[in-house]
Amino acid sequence: MYPEMPSIRVTALRLRLEGNTGYAGEWKGPYKLLSVDGETCTIQFPNGPKQFRITVVRPYYKAPDENDQNTDSEHTNEGPEVPSGTNSTPPTPQDDESDTPTPQARPAQRPQRNRQLLAWYRDDLIQSVFAQFDQSQEKEINGLLENGVFEVVKVDDIPEGTRIFNSWFVNEIKNPGTDKAFEKSRLVVQAYNDKGKEIILTQSPTIQRCSQRLLLCLTTCITNTHLFLRDVTQAYVQSTTPLARNNFYIRTPPELVHLFPPGTILKVVKPLYGIPEAGNHWFRTYHVHHTDKLNMTTSTYDPCLLHCIDQSQGFGIVGMQTDDTLILADNAFANREENEIKRANILCKLREKLTPSNPLKFNGGLIAEDAQGITLTQERTCKLIRSVQDRHADTTSSRGKVRKDVSPQEQYVAQRALGAYIASVSQPEASFDLSFAAQITNPEKDDIKSLNKRLQWQLDNAERGLRFVRLDLDSLRLVIFVDSCFANNKDFSSQIGFVIVLSDAANNANIVHWSSIKCKRVTRSVLASELYAMVHGFDSAASIKSNQQQRSFYISLSPFPLLSALTRRAYTNASSN
């Protein structure tokens, strides 16, 4: 169940239908809610009951001055009151000639059930769960109006045929159970069925995992630098560029209709959460801030990895992940970054610094520091892994959402994706098994058993991750370990993979990148599969080397070699022939 459903005072519900629903004409509700089964609501319509997802059903709010009526009570006849325990049929006069009265059979009375809605829909529950979010919701709306995110316009001024989207509040209590707990509300546009997003760019770049590991590796190697984390609040609404679409309208959330004049609607003029292209607007705003204000340039292969190009302004490398920023900098650049973010009036939380007592949470991982170096783990994410059942079963998401009667195939896809995400960030040992599992479209019992074995390993080794140690900068070298498995997949295709490490003369090494994928080309020999693996690994290593050489001048690094380690004799055998 959704958290907003308990304790809502409601006598009827309105059904919110968006887009091409197939229902012609205007809305003629409210309609009566019959029952709620999990995430399915049964609504009474004139032509019979129908079922809908709980996400499209909303309470029907009455005006405060209206008199509530009990919608569950049945209409009664306005005849004279009949005493309890007597037949409702009026008595008939008895025949005078009859000495003994004829006994009359009393009709059987059906037991009356106390029919009422579920507890969270009953009228006698006056206190609403939304009452505690009234102030946070008004604060959110007032802040958006002050920032010029949307304008209040009349409904009559909207061009005919323009689509109007719904909006809703995401309410959450931050820091629950502590003295720092507070209510937070965020207005989100329900634009998941936006047809206009097909003609605009909606995908914004995020930092590559390899770039994130390179930052951690350099943190342990470069002296007189520190690792910081910057968290921007309400990032999307702080974008400085207007929406390219000038006809984007949303309805006022039902909780705050009373704050706006009747017959008005909201026109969105700046990016807002839920709008498909909002991420791109924020990326441009934040990226321009770093390139123009901080005098930084983008790396050769990752637009979210930037470094300072003026050595006199300090040393700094920045990795951007939407509203989170990982910063490796000395004191000069760190002070300048702090001053520029304030001068730009970008709202953000206090900047955090990595210390042995203060780990950083970035991009789903935990970055911790100890005497041996820096570790990157995903223990919290690993604990979300569940074994795949070979039958239909109920599942629970990371947000506590329960899905009923999920098929084994759906369980297989969901758990494999979760395990593959963890393997791509901090557990390279699991990459091969999860890549192999991704090729299965209709899993059988043996496939489920193999996947569960790897998932159980990840669950048992939740604290296992990557460790980055200090390296000698004068003897750095980039080493690629490549390998392939010829025709080992079920469709007789080959599996190719590599591991790239940054090491020094003392054989200390830090893993910076790895991959295990199905070869996209048909290979007819072991030599061919090995060559494809070598080319695949060399391309990635060459990009990393080029990126490091781009900033090597600013950290006094001499160009380091690129080495490739081969694991089979196929190359030597082929050359001897």
Side-chain angles (χ1 to χ4, degrees), residues 12 32 39 76 168 197 304 318 329 337 358 364 383 435 463 504:
K32 187 176 180 180
E39 299 179 6
T76 57
W168 67 302
K197 65 184 178 182
C304 294
V318 171
E337 191 272 341
N358 184 43
K383 292 182 179 179
S435 176
E463 72 286 350
D504 58 10

Side-chain angles (χ1 to χ4, degrees), residues 25 32 38 56 186 273 287-288 341 373 405 410 473 501 532:
K32 187 176 180 180
V56 299
R186 174 172 290 175
Y273 286 95
H287 192 271
V288 170
I341 203 79
D405 201 29
E410 293 176 321
L473 296 179
V501 300
Y532 281 125

Side-chain angles (χ1 to χ4, degrees), residues 209-222:
R209 293 175 174 85
C210 177
S211 301
Q212 177 181 341
R213 290 187 286 265
L214 279 174
L215 268 173
L216 300 181
C217 180
L218 293 176
T219 302
T220 60
C221 300
I222 303 175

Side-chain angles (χ1 to χ4, degrees), residues 1-2 36-41 54 404:
M1 293 296 296
Y2 284 70
V36 178
D37 183 12
E39 299 179 6
T40 303
C41 295
I54 199 172
K404 298 289 187 179

Side-chain angles (χ1 to χ4, degrees), residues 397-437:
S397 67
S398 58
R399 296 176 179 261
K401 180 180 178 180
V402 179
R403 294 184 59 192
K404 298 289 187 179
D405 201 29
V406 182
S407 65
Q409 183 178 6
E410 293 176 321
Q411 299 178 50
Y412 187 91
V413 173
Q415 295 302 320
R416 185 212 59 82
L418 179 59
Y421 165 70
I422 299 172
S424 65
V425 175
S426 60
Q427 291 185 346
E429 304 95 328
S431 296
F432 173 80
D433 290 336
L434 294 167
S435 176
F436 186 84

Side-chain angles (χ1 to χ4, degrees), residues 489 493-496 517-523 529 532:
N489 294 327
S493 61
S494 299
Q495 192 80 6
I496 59 177
I517 63 172
K518 172 183 174 181
C519 185
K520 298 180 180 180
R521 292 181 176 270
V522 177
T523 56
S529 62
Y532 281 125

Side-chain angles (χ1 to χ4, degrees), residues 5-19:
M5 299 308 293
S7 304
I8 296 179
R9 186 186 179 188
V10 60
T11 58
L13 296 188
R14 67 184 179 89
L15 188 65
R16 176 158 58 191
L17 299 175
E18 257 193 291

